[in-house]
Amino acid sequence: MEGNADGTRDARNRYPPELLRRFEVYFKQSTAVKSMSIRQVKAQNIGKLVTIRGIVTRSTEVKPMMKVATYTCDQCGAETYQPILGPSFMPLFLCPTQECQTNQSGGRLYLQTRGSKFLKFQELRIQEHSDQVPVGSIPRGMTVYVKGELTRLASPGDHVCVTGVFLPMVRTGFKQLVSGLTADTFLDTHRIWKVKKMDDTEAATDVMTNEEVEALCREPDLYDKLAYSLAPEIYGHEDVKKALLLLLVGGVDRNPHGMKIRGSINILLMGDPGVAKSQLLTYIDRMAPRSQYTTGKGSSGVGLTAAVTRDPVTNEMILEGGALVLADQGICCIDEFDKMMEGDRTAIHEVMEQQTVSIAKAGIMTSLNARVSILAAANPAYGRYNPRKSAEANIQLPAALLSRFDLLWLIQDKPDPENDLRLAQHITYVHQHSVQPPAHFTPLDMKLMSRYIALCKTKQPVIPESLSEYITGAYVEMRKEARNEESSFRNTYISARTLLAILRLSTALARLRLVDIVEKEDVNEAMRLMEMSKFSLYAEDRVARKVKPIDAIYGIVREVSDKPTIKVEEARQRVLAKGYTAAQFDECLEEYEQLNVWQVNQSKTKITFI
């Protein structure tokens, strides 16, 4: 009887197959099929399975999408089901059961949310890679609809391949009348996976085997070889390449009792034009698995942090991440750092230390993660670097920003016959053969290096108790040296950030050796890099020729006033403010009086220049 009753039952009262189904069916394209660029997907691909490659620029929140609507009648209590196939649907109002129609009771249907079936839904916006864009064009984008278990697999900034069915967007109502014969398109996703920036290989499966790791670790001088393999076409810059290698590996983040200490390393490259700063930046941008490249004039503060836009789907105000947010857990390369507007540059201050971007715009108050390493390149303020002036006077960046960089490298273009000859031979060989000249060892492959660096990032080395006293002693000695006016590095900033930079570089060196404990050699190498970066900021002639305190005091006294007579007390206060002692000032007075440069009256209150 039940079977017959079910056979005569109305179709709308039966359980629809979508409600009973507990699985999802997706199609995967053959591995032999190459991925296409968004520009290559045309009208003939509509309704077909295509695979595209690009970078995710925007992703919406995951929202429920109704698949089956369930209603109950307020008169007879029967359940009615309505499968939804399109993007919109018209709800049912009158009960279609036989009982309500026979009695003409006009039962009203009410939607039951708990009995309905919902599906996870997310919309992504994918943009084609810069290498796929023809000359004179701008990158194209495509809307991608993601459903079910495929949601939350990609976030903005990820390089992905998407397989799906290319379909036209169905419009209803007034929008259909306005659109006419044309239709917007979207990709109904069947498979999505992250890929490497350089090729289509899947990022998750490209892991080094134990045999490859052992073979690489057996190499003598692995640290030097890895550094040399970074941009081998660029001549020299050995220590700079070592610093960039540590930037790719990164230090270890620490979170003691809710406080956050960053592990990412920030580096500023500055110096004369034509010393391959931009080439190093573009190489690091290509090699890093997650990175963004921007220039000082081409970026605004909003473009770096986050912009408030209107969501085309929900028409709500949403945040769209900028370059620093998209490069989260990666590297942001900023070229022409000195050309940035001062207001835009202040947006980087919070990111470089707190690793967050705080936003309070259009009623949206939030804090976005920007756990990013910043690699910046800056030119001197007046063409070439002037070694007679300090780094701040040459680059004209504020001290608050310079102290946030762990390493400041100055790359100077000094005339040297032997070095110039080797550099010219290197450049001409690369230009002729499109490969670096033969060296005493073959540089490692770029793919192998990126896989090894990804393996290094999984290590979490710690600093043992035995090294703590050594590091603190070395830091105190550096502070003492910075306070000493005789020191040639007196214009560099030695603060607590310098100590944290040494710890970060030490943990990065331990990661590079795939060990769990930092050793003394790592700390020594970190401090050597710090000293070399400081040493590069000052020319050899300035380091070699130290100014006597008495001569320096004479210069200060001359700058006090243009008049032939000045007060001794005024000059004394000016000299003491510069860090010199009263005894040195008295000695200067006596010596220059004997040389007949000036005369001091008997009460020692006035200095008269002769």
Side-chain angles (χ1 to χ4, degrees), residues 42-217:
K42 295 189 169 63
Q44 64 261 27
N45 299 110
I46 285 183
K48 296 178 182 176
L49 202 66
V50 294
T51 301
I52 60 167
R53 182 168 72 99
I55 180 172
V56 181
T57 56
R58 192 180 70 229
S59 67
T60 62
E61 296 177 10
V62 177
K63 296 182 178 179
M65 183 183 189
M66 191 175 280
K67 199 70 180 168
V68 178
T70 303
Y71 305 91
T72 53
C73 177
D74 60 347
Q75 294 292 331
C76 63
E79 283 190 345
T80 304
Y81 305 100
Q82 181 188 13
I84 296 157
L85 302 175
S88 58
F89 75 105
M90 179 62 71
L92 302 175
F93 295 106
L94 295 175
C95 180
T97 56
Q98 191 71 33
E99 185 180 343
C100 281
Q101 288 180 357
T102 305
N103 299 335
Q104 295 184 353
S105 56
R108 305 284 293 179
L109 293 178
Y110 291 93
L111 184 66
Q112 296 296 319
T113 312
R114 291 182 65 184
S116 303
K117 183 178 181 180
F118 292 89
L119 205 62
K120 288 183 283 189
F121 175 80
Q122 187 180 22
E123 183 183 329
L124 304 177
R125 184 75 183 169
I126 290 185
Q127 184 177 291
E128 61 184 346
H129 284 137
S130 55
D131 57 346
Q132 298 171 336
V133 183
V135 179
S137 302
I138 60 170
R140 287 190 184 174
M142 182 182 285
T143 303
V144 175
Y145 287 169
V146 187
K147 299 174 187 174
E149 295 303 312
L150 298 175
T151 54
R152 295 193 179 94
L153 290 182
S155 54
D158 287 340
H159 296 264
V160 294
C161 272
V162 184
T163 299
V165 182
F166 188 54
L167 294 171
M169 209 173 283
V170 180
R171 301 284 188 191
T172 54
F174 179 71
K175 289 183 179 178
Q176 187 179 15
L177 296 173
V178 174
S179 63
L181 297 175
T182 59
D184 292 332
T185 54
F186 69 97
L187 196 71
D188 190 18
T189 309
H190 280 249
R191 183 172 180 247
I192 184 167
W193 69 98
K194 292 182 186 178
V195 294
K196 289 197 163 186
K197 199 172 186 178
M198 297 173 284
D199 48 20
D200 290 354
T201 54
E202 195 166 346
T205 59
D206 202 12
V207 181
M208 287 187 77
T209 60
N210 292 332
E211 292 79 11
E212 287 178 313
V213 174
E214 287 174 8
L216 201 58
C217 290

Side-chain angles (χ1 to χ4, degrees), residues 118-385:
F118 292 89
L119 205 62
K120 288 183 283 189
F121 175 80
Q122 187 180 22
E123 183 183 329
L124 304 177
R125 184 75 183 169
I126 290 185
Q127 184 177 291
E128 61 184 346
H129 284 137
S130 55
D131 57 346
Q132 298 171 336
V133 183
V135 179
S137 302
I138 60 170
R140 287 190 184 174
M142 182 182 285
T143 303
V144 175
Y145 287 169
V146 187
K147 299 174 187 174
E149 295 303 312
L150 298 175
T151 54
R152 295 193 179 94
L153 290 182
S155 54
D158 287 340
H159 296 264
V160 294
C161 272
V162 184
T163 299
V165 182
F166 188 54
L167 294 171
M169 209 173 283
V170 180
R171 301 284 188 191
T172 54
F174 179 71
K175 289 183 179 178
Q176 187 179 15
L177 296 173
V178 174
S179 63
L181 297 175
T182 59
D184 292 332
T185 54
F186 69 97
L187 196 71
D188 190 18
T189 309
H190 280 249
R191 183 172 180 247
I192 184 167
W193 69 98
K194 292 182 186 178
V195 294
K196 289 197 163 186
K197 199 172 186 178
M198 297 173 284
D199 48 20
D200 290 354
T201 54
E202 195 166 346
T205 59
D206 202 12
V207 181
M208 287 187 77
T209 60
N210 292 332
E211 292 79 11
E212 287 178 313
V213 174
E214 287 174 8
L216 201 58
C217 290
R218 280 198 298 268
E219 293 268 355
D221 300 326
L222 177 63
Y223 173 50
D224 294 330
K225 192 169 183 180
L226 285 168
Y228 177 77
S229 302
L230 271 181
E233 295 84 9
I234 297 172
Y235 175 76
H237 305 327
E238 289 84 5
D239 284 332
V240 177
K241 288 182 181 180
K242 286 178 181 178
L244 294 179
L245 179 66
L246 298 183
L247 175 121
L248 282 167
V249 174
V252 180
D253 289 325
R254 296 282 179 223
N255 298 305
H257 303 292
M259 192 176 113
K260 186 176 180 184
I261 301 173
R262 68 178 168 94
S264 53
I265 297 167
N266 301 322
I267 295 178
L268 174 64
L269 304 177
M270 51 185 163
D272 299 331
V275 289
K277 297 190 300 293
S278 299
Q279 290 287 351
L280 285 169
L281 257 68
T282 50
Y283 187 90
I284 296 295
D285 175 52
R286 282 204 320 273
M287 187 168 179
R290 191 180 175 94
S291 65
Q292 290 289 324
Y293 183 89
T294 180
T295 57
K297 272 294 181 189
S299 353
S300 62
V302 171
L304 285 171
T305 54
V308 177
T309 57
R310 196 173 289 278
D311 188 5
V313 180
T314 59
N315 216 25
E316 296 174 355
M317 299 298 282
I318 60 164
L319 277 176
E320 196 161 330
L324 294 171
V325 179
L326 289 177
D328 188 28
Q329 301 277 24
I331 297 171
C332 184
C333 303
I334 307 174
D335 204 358
E336 309 292 347
F337 194 58
D338 53 312
K339 311 288 190 304
M340 286 181 73
M341 302 289 289
E342 189 60 39
D344 300 334
R345 208 187 285 131
T346 52
I348 307 176
H349 283 231
E350 183 195 358
V351 174
M352 289 181 72
E353 206 55 52
Q354 274 72 43
Q355 303 274 283
T356 55
V357 174
S358 299
I359 297 292
K361 297 178 182 176
I364 300 173
M365 281 164 279
T366 184
S367 184
L368 304 172
N369 281 327
R371 295 155 293 187
V372 60
S373 297
I374 289 181
L375 175 59
N379 285 116
Y382 308 107
R384 294 181 68 81
Y385 193 91

Side-chain angles (χ1 to χ4, degrees), residues 426-441:
H426 185 98
I427 291 173
T428 49
Y429 187 93
V430 171
H431 199 273
Q432 285 176 345
H433 303 91
S434 298
V435 69
Q436 69 276 3
H440 53 280
F441 59 80

